[in-house]
Amino acid sequence: GRRDHMAIDELLDEREQGERVKAWLRDNALGLVGGLVVGILLIGGWQYWQRKTHGEAVAQHAAYQTALLDIRSGDFDKAQATLAGLPDTVYSELAALQLAKAQVEKGERDAAIKTLEAVKGTEPGVAAVVEQRLARLLTDAGRGEDAVKLLAGADDAVSLEARGDAHFALKQIEQAREDYAQALRKLDSAAPQRGLVELKLSEVGGMPDESEVES
C-alpha cells in the first residue's frame, strides 16, 4: 500500500545518503570500511531522530489532552502552566484557543486576551484564527487601535469583518465601510455570514448590492 511505498522511499533515501557519505570518505582516503561505519551511523542517527520526534509529538499531544481536561474542570491556572511547558506547536495554539474561549465564557476577557497574546503562531491556519479572536476581544476591551494593527494585513473575509468592527468601534466609519465591502466581495454568494456583513455594511452607509462576489 501507500505506507509501504513511503517506507521504501525513505529506505532508498537513507541508502542514497549512506552511499554519498561512503563515496566522500573513499575520496578522502578513509576507505570503504570507514565509509560503511559512518553510513550505518548516519542511518541509525536518522532513525533515532524519527523516534525522538515521534516521541515528542506523543508527549505534546498528551500535554494538550491534560490541558483540555484542566480547562473543562475550570482549573485555568493548571492549564496555563501546562501550556507554558509546551513548545510552540499546533497543540499549544489549539489549547490556547480553548483556554481563551473558556476564560471568555467565565467573564475573564482580559485573561483571555493575555492567553492569546502569548501565542507565537507557528501554524498559519491556526494563527489566523488566534488573530481574529484576539482582535475581537481587543475591540470589546476598547482597544480598537490594537485590533486594527493586529489585522493590518487582513485579506480574508473573517479578518476583514473583524477589522471593520474595530474601525466601527473607533468611529472610523469610512474605513469600516471599506472593510465590510471587501469582506463581502470575498464571501461566496451562499455563505451564511453574508447577511450579517451586509447588515453591518448598511449600518455604515454602504450598499450591499454594489459589493459583487469575487470570481
Side-chain angles (χ1 to χ4, degrees):
R2 181 169 172 75
R3 186 182 291 273
D4 294 334
H5 180 67
M6 286 172 69
I8 290 165
D9 284 348
E10 285 168 12
L11 183 63
L12 287 172
D13 286 344
E14 288 166 4
R15 252 187 220 155
E16 189 183 346
Q17 287 166 15
E19 289 299 328
R20 283 179 183 175
V21 171
K22 283 184 285 183
W24 183 88
L25 287 166
R26 277 199 303 274
D27 292 342
N28 286 273
L30 287 176
L32 181 60
V33 174
L36 280 169
V37 170
V38 175
I40 290 164
L41 286 174
L42 260 187
I43 291 166
W46 167 247
Q47 288 171 343
Y48 165 76
W49 180 82
Q50 282 188 312
R51 285 195 300 272
K52 184 173 179 288
T53 51
H54 174 70
E56 285 169 355
V58 169
Q60 286 167 23
H61 184 260
Y64 169 70
Q65 294 293 346
T66 300
L68 289 191
L69 288 172
D70 291 334
I71 291 164
R72 287 191 193 116
S73 69
D75 196 340
F76 296 166
D77 290 340
K78 201 173 168 193
Q80 197 87 57
T82 303
L83 263 176
L86 274 171
D88 295 318
T89 64
V90 69
Y91 287 122
S92 62
E93 291 167 26
L94 289 172
L97 281 168
Q98 292 295 328
L99 177 56
K101 182 173 181 281
Q103 286 169 324
V104 169
E105 286 168 356
K106 288 275 186 181
E108 300 176 12
R109 184 197 59 208
D110 292 342
I113 287 173
K114 284 180 181 171
T115 296
L116 294 181
E117 281 180 331
V119 177
K120 297 294 185 289
T122 54
E123 264 322 298
V126 183
V129 176
V130 170
E131 282 187 355
Q132 290 154 7
R133 292 192 185 173
L134 178 54
R136 292 190 187 285
L137 290 175
L138 289 169
T139 300
D140 188 60
R143 294 172 57 189
E145 295 93 343
D146 292 334
V148 168
K149 199 180 295 181
L150 184 67
L151 298 175
D155 66 351
D156 64 279
V158 178
S159 297
L160 285 163
E161 181 190 351
R163 194 174 69 189
D165 292 345
H167 281 305
F168 182 73
L170 292 166
K171 296 185 169 51
Q172 296 169 348
I173 305 304
E174 188 62 42
Q175 291 96 318
R177 183 159 60 237
E178 195 176 314
D179 279 344
Y180 292 145
Q182 273 193 64
L184 270 180
R185 282 194 289 272
K186 298 274 182 183
L187 287 171
D188 184 81
S189 56
Q193 63 267 49
R194 272 192 75 87
L196 181 58
V197 182
E198 285 176 353
L199 184 63
K200 288 179 179 180
L201 181 57
S202 296
E203 281 181 7
V204 291
M207 298 292 289
D209 292 343
E210 293 170 11
S211 296
E212 294 178 3
V213 180
E214 284 189 353
S215 56

